[in-house]
Amino acid sequence: MYLPLHDVSETKYYFRISAKVCFLTVSVPLVAFLCCVIITMVKDFEEANNTHCKVPNIFPSISASVGNFEPQSTIWKTAIYIHAPLRFYIISLRWKYYKKVIRSECLFLVNLAVTLNVLENLSLLGLTHWTSSSNYPYHESCFKTFIGASVFYMLLTCIMLSNCRRRSKLTNKEKYSVKLKWRAFSLNVTSFACAAIFFLRHNRFCEPYVYSMFGFSEYIVVMSNILFHLTSVYDLQIKFIYLTKRGLITE
């Protein structure tokens, strides 16, 4: 079912852009993240995998990959800063969508979910600005906030779109979107739990390659988070975004 968020048939606009381009832009961090990991493994492998345990490892952690070396740090920061305004705009579109499809008695959950989504994006900017090497306390606080906000946002979204809709019968796209969300959420929580276990085990026992397993689990956390947000394509079903005298509107 297509739900237009705004009717622009009689509205004059300065220019329009395909919504597909906008959603692809949101995936820029994934491309930047993969580039940073690959560059780190090629250029800074030994230093990135060097921990206090002095044991062999294969995969560097995310913090080492995106924050400790150049040009990786610049690539990551540029990607996050450039796409951040669009992410916040998409949050506003999600908010409108949720209010259209979620029952009125569940609007508290809608507002809570959107607040968590805003907090998630603000903390992402924070942990990008304050790297683990430049300001560890701030980086740690932003990281914990990011993980907590993103996990509970994903959970609330899955619950709302599964149990709180105005319509009980879903379209095939809506069913597929909810299924993807639950899978991405489950993968995210599982991989984060694995990352925590591997991190604690590495610090306690200093076993070879355990820190690499921690790093790989971190990769899955990032990719499952991005996958979850990309499912908005099935929800919003926007064709174009227009710049008008009244600001940005969609069709």
Side-chain angles (χ1 to χ4, degrees), residues 10-249:
E10 302 297 328
T11 304
K12 292 183 178 180
Y13 58 87
Y14 297 113
F15 69 85
R16 72 179 185 180
I17 183 172
S18 172
K20 291 181 180 180
V21 175
C22 295
F23 284 111
L24 285 175
T25 304
V26 178
S27 65
V28 164
L30 175 60
V31 177
F33 163 70
L34 293 175
C35 288
C36 289
V37 171
I38 293 172
I39 293 172
T40 300
M41 292 185 69
V42 172
K43 187 174 74 72
D44 303 293
F45 181 84
E46 294 296 335
E47 190 173 354
N49 283 296
N50 182 30
T51 70
H52 68 282
C53 287
K54 306 298 180 182
V55 293
N57 286 293
I58 301 174
F59 302 116
S61 68
I62 290 181
S63 296
S65 298
V66 306
N68 293 354
F69 308 100
E70 290 292 350
Q72 298 93 304
S73 179
T74 299
I75 292 173
W76 177 250
K77 287 182 177 179
T78 301
I80 295 300
Y81 294 154
I82 284 178
H83 94 295
L86 185 57
R87 281 186 72 126
F88 283 105
Y89 178 63
I90 291 178
I91 290 175
S92 70
L93 298 183
R94 288 197 193 106
W95 194 15
K96 294 177 182 178
Y97 171 76
Y98 293 152
K99 287 190 290 186
K100 282 180 178 289
V101 302
I102 301 300
R103 298 194 304 269
S104 57
E105 60 266 29
C106 297
L107 285 182
F108 170 75
L109 293 179
V110 170
N111 293 332
L112 178 58
V114 171
T115 300
L116 288 170
N117 198 192
V118 171
L119 188 59
E120 173 190 353
N121 283 275
L122 289 175
S123 57
L124 175 60
L125 290 172
L127 67 88
T128 299
H129 179 72
W130 293 297
T131 64
S132 59
S133 57
S134 65
N135 196 320
Y136 184 78
Y138 282 10
H139 179 84
E140 182 183 28
S141 296
C142 290
F143 175 76
K144 290 178 178 178
T145 303
F146 172 79
I147 290 296
S150 64
V151 167
F152 284 105
Y153 164 71
M154 288 189 283
L155 177 59
L156 283 177
T157 301
C158 289
I159 292 174
M160 288 190 306
L161 296 180
S162 298
N163 303 312
C164 300
R165 289 182 184 266
R166 296 179 187 272
R167 293 180 292 104
S168 58
K169 188 174 183 180
L170 306 183
T171 65
N172 290 332
K173 277 191 175 181
E174 288 170 337
K175 290 178 181 178
Y176 185 64
S177 175
V178 171
K179 182 188 295 185
L180 279 181
K181 283 179 172 63
W182 276 113
R183 288 179 178 177
F185 167 72
S186 300
L187 182 60
N188 185 270
V189 172
T190 301
S191 55
F192 177 72
C194 290
I197 292 171
F198 291 138
F199 181 79
L200 294 173
R201 183 161 181 166
H202 168 74
N203 285 331
R204 183 173 182 180
F205 299 110
C206 285
E207 299 166 301
Y209 305 111
V210 171
Y211 195 73
S212 295
M213 297 168 71
F214 159 72
F216 186 77
S217 298
E218 280 191 310
Y219 303 166
I220 304 301
V221 170
V222 170
M223 289 187 283
S224 58
N225 178 276
I226 293 174
L227 172 62
F228 186 95
H229 289 299
L230 285 177
T231 60
S232 292
V233 173
Y234 297 104
D235 300 328
L236 302 179
Q237 298 186 47
I238 297 169
K239 295 180 181 179
F240 297 100
I241 296 176
Y242 297 82
L243 177 62
T244 71
K245 290 182 179 180
R246 291 177 293 171
L248 294 173
I249 58 177

